[in-house]
Amino acid sequence: MTLEDLARERVDFRFKGLPPEADGLTVAELAARRLNLFTDGFTTPVLALSAERLEHNLALMETYSARHGLDFAPHGKTSMAPQLFQRQIERGAWGITLAVPHQVRVAREFGIERIFLANELVDAAALRWLAAELDSSESFRFICYVDSVRGVELMEAALTAAGASRPVDVVVELGAGEGARTGIRTEEECAAVADAVASATTLRLVGVAGYEGEVPRADGERVRAWLRRLVALAADFDKAGRFAGLDEIVLSAGGSAWFDAVADVFAEVPELSAPVRKLLRSGAYVSHDDGHYRHLTPFNRVPEEGALHPAFRLWAQVVSRPAPDQAFTNAGKRDAAYDLDLPEAQVVRDARTGEVREAAGVAVTGLSDQHGWLRLEPQARVEVGDWLGMGLSHPCTSFDKWQLIPLVEADGTVVDYVRTFF
């Protein structure tokens, strides 16, 4: 499948929020009509992705990575949108980071040639597919974590049974600390896993990696201390000859909360026996958010680097106002990200006049399956029929609720539609 195939897909009942009159049109035909989100038949709730803010965020991370000497493999599980994968690669991304085999298959279906799987892959069926994929394409580069001897043994057994002819490149994952998520807890255990890889015939050790966002009680000092452990592990492995014969050594970290620390510490990497590919994996920057990452973004700590812009806005309609201090919208858990923070009421579009004003005195206090609970202060100007525009927290759980997302310019013109695969 190609991006052109996505443009030829027919619009129908599967896609929330789109005008009923669009049924039967291809996505390309619908985009060519340049409909207005507010006046041309879109139904609520509808999620809009800002065209201008998306472009700003893509450009900002491209220049940030280049300025700090980092290669970039943004975490695609945030969006699972091949159109955005392509735009990131056009903006200089080395490849795409993913988390599970299904996501790898989606990326490969759309021609992504370099994939970093930030997970240990021990599923025999997935490894069988991967072996065939690697064997069929010399240009396909795949790297994944290993974090246990048992995992190495399972990979070796499955790949051997599959008759793999190309070794799978792996990086030893250093855990972020006791009580953190995946990853090896001590350097001694890392060495044992590296030894297991060296004994395998179907695996090749190409570096070390981890995720600093899992550092317990994370702050700048603790995160940088862990990152220096990661760099030291790479240097120790290199000194021991574990990377002999490689054209490059992979050193990877970087979520969306501490990539300034990654840039700082990776700038300190000593000279090793081969060039070091310093691979940053931040993904939430694409749409950014109005909650979790707005407060944690490294650009807040280093403002001269620029600023990411929240690019999502969820529009819902006020469908009930049963009391002076209470109203309900028609968007709930099926539509809005809510795993970290509730949506943020930002603007109201008046049903009578089309005027857009700040949502003063309006707060989202809860979500039911298909209703948003609003608390209204005396100054709130909200009536049944008005549209409420809300900012969303945590983009990772926004994209997965919408299969076809309008890409909207500031004046409401819809210029394209972003297809997702979750």
Side-chain angles (χ1 to χ4, degrees), residues 61 64-65 68 70-75 94-95 97 212 251-256 258-260 262-263 266 277-283:
M61 286 301 289
Y64 180 89
S65 300
H68 291 280
L70 301 169
D71 286 300
F72 194 30
H75 214 317
W94 171 88
T97 297
E212 76 290 341
L251 176 66
S252 181
S256 293
W258 293 102
F259 56 75
D260 56 332
V262 174
F266 279 14
R277 186 176 295 281
K278 304 170 186 177
L279 203 57
L280 180 68
R281 305 195 309 272
S282 309

Side-chain angles (χ1 to χ4, degrees), residues 67-342:
R67 185 161 56 246
H68 291 280
L70 301 169
D71 286 300
F72 194 30
H75 214 317
K77 60 92 176 175
T78 301
S79 69
M80 285 308 298
Q83 291 148 285
L84 299 186
F85 294 172
Q86 184 59 41
R87 290 186 66 172
Q88 289 168 313
I89 288 170
E90 289 170 355
R91 285 291 191 172
W94 171 88
I96 299 295
T97 297
L98 298 163
V100 294
H102 158 71
Q103 296 169 357
V104 177
R105 291 188 62 197
V106 171
R108 285 299 292 158
E109 182 69 20
F110 287 90
I112 302 302
E113 292 280 43
R114 294 175 181 150
I115 294 173
F116 187 104
L117 184 71
N119 228 334
E120 187 168 63
L121 181 59
V122 294
D123 184 293
L127 286 163
R128 185 165 57 249
W129 173 85
L130 176 63
E133 196 73 9
L134 286 167
D135 288 349
S136 68
S137 174
E138 286 293 328
S139 60
F140 177 34
R141 178 84 192 274
F142 177 88
I143 304 171
C144 72
Y145 283 171
V146 287
D147 81 343
S148 65
V149 172
R150 172 63 174 161
V152 170
E153 292 170 347
L154 289 170
M155 293 183 75
E156 168 80 346
L159 291 167
T160 300
S165 63
R166 284 181 63 192
V168 171
D169 287 347
V170 298
V171 289
V172 167
E173 183 194 4
L174 177 66
E178 291 301 323
R181 203 162 60 189
T182 59
I184 304 163
R185 297 311 194 233
T186 69
E187 281 75 1
E188 292 75 17
E189 292 171 297
C190 286
V193 173
D195 287 341
V197 173
S199 298
T201 61
T202 60
L203 303 177
R204 182 176 70 154
L205 182 66
V206 297
V208 299
Y211 174 46
E212 76 290 341
E214 283 290 309
V215 170
R217 304 180 306 282
D219 60 21
E221 183 179 351
R222 290 188 178 92
V223 167
R224 284 173 173 81
W226 177 82
L227 286 163
R228 290 189 176 100
R229 280 184 63 199
L230 185 67
V231 170
L233 181 65
D236 289 346
F237 275 14
D238 190 51
K239 185 177 180 180
R242 297 186 186 280
F243 300 137
L246 294 182
D247 294 330
E248 66 177 20
I249 297 166
V250 175
L251 176 66
S252 181
S256 293
W258 293 102
F259 56 75
D260 56 332
V262 174
D264 291 346
V265 175
F266 279 14
E268 304 169 0
V269 174
E271 184 174 349
L272 302 182
S273 62
V276 178
R277 186 176 295 281
K278 304 170 186 177
L279 203 57
L280 180 68
R281 305 195 309 272
S282 309
Y285 82 98
V286 177
S287 61
H288 197 42
D289 77 348
D290 279 296
H292 182 72
Y293 287 113
R294 178 177 62 189
H295 303 299
L296 291 176
T297 176
F299 294 124
N300 290 344
R301 296 186 289 272
V302 193
E304 60 269 24
E305 295 273 18
L308 293 169
H309 295 165
F312 271 141
R313 179 164 281 172
L314 177 64
W315 290 95
Q317 195 164 30
V318 178
V319 294
S320 178
R321 187 173 177 179
D325 63 348
Q326 188 180 45
F328 292 86
T329 68
N330 60 352
K333 294 179 181 178
R334 309 301 183 203
D335 314 296
Y338 63 93
D339 59 319
L340 292 180
D341 298 297
L342 289 170

